[in-house]
């Protein structure tokens, strides 16, 4: 059909989320090495226009909600050439230990929690 398969948008959400966490000064791997996982608990996508093969895209990612045990990331995927909004979405995650037990991230990683809270307060999402 000449358009990007819908499942690719979830991969792009993951890339946006990974880069946003990296901006906090911590990679996903480092977060996991410190005993914190972010398993996906729910997701939603809303398709506006299709991305086409060879389109350059922007993934805008920000923290929409956060608590010591949960976090919601929000996303916009736009075509870079004209900033046309292609897809919006959200992913919901729990903060857990490697054995998937809930954990209060503000106790284990207070600096990461503080940074994510500040990111939640930003009016405009950072651009990846």
């Amino acid at each position: 059909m000449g358009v990007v398969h819908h499942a690719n948008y979830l991969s792009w959400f993951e890339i946006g989320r990974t880069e946003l966490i990296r901006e906090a000064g911590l990679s996903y791997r480092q977060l996991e090495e410190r005993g914190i996982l972010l398993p996906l608990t729910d997701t939603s996508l809303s398709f506006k226009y299709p991305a086409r093969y060879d389109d350059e895209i922007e993934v805008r990612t920000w923290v929409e909600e956060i608590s010591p045990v949960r976090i919601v990331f929000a996303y916009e995927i736009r075509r870079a050439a004209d900033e046309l909004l292609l897809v919006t979405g959200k992913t919901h995650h729990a903060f857990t230990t490697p054995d998937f037990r809930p954990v209060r991230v503000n106790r284990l990683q207070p600096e990461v929690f503080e940074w994510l809270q500040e990111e939640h307060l930003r009016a405009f999402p950072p651009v990846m």
Side-chain angles (χ1 to χ4, degrees):
M1 294 188 313
V3 298
V4 173
H5 189 270
H6 62 274
N8 289 317
Y9 294 100
L10 286 172
S11 295
W12 294 341
F13 285 2
E14 184 175 10
I15 292 167
R17 186 170 63 248
T18 299
E19 292 305 313
L20 182 69
I21 291 170
R22 190 181 322 274
E23 285 183 34
L26 196 63
S27 71
Y28 239 102
R29 176 179 285 156
Q30 290 170 316
L31 198 60
E32 290 178 349
E33 288 170 353
R34 293 179 183 193
I36 298 174
L37 303 182
L38 285 172
L40 181 71
T41 60
D42 192 22
T43 188
S44 63
L45 291 91
S46 180
F47 299 96
K48 313 297 183 191
Y49 292 95
R52 302 205 177 269
Y53 292 111
D54 290 329
D55 278 352
E56 184 178 332
I57 59 147
E58 287 183 347
V59 179
R60 298 180 181 184
T61 308
W62 65 98
V63 175
E64 184 168 277
E65 297 176 34
I66 186 168
S67 78
V69 295
R70 292 187 177 88
I71 189 165
V72 177
F73 294 95
Y75 310 87
E76 290 181 350
I77 296 179
R78 293 179 177 269
R79 189 168 54 207
D82 57 5
E83 295 194 15
L84 178 67
L85 181 61
L86 305 175
V87 172
T88 61
K90 296 179 186 178
T91 57
H92 299 244
H93 305 262
F95 293 107
T96 72
T97 63
D99 60 352
F100 298 103
R101 292 185 183 181
V103 66
R104 297 182 71 83
V105 73
N106 60 326
R107 292 184 185 157
L108 289 179
Q109 297 295 319
E111 68 284 351
V112 173
F113 182 69
E114 183 179 313
W115 187 88
L116 290 168
Q117 280 185 306
E118 290 172 7
E119 190 63 28
H120 171 61
L121 298 174
R122 292 180 190 240
F124 187 77
V127 176
M128 182 196 91

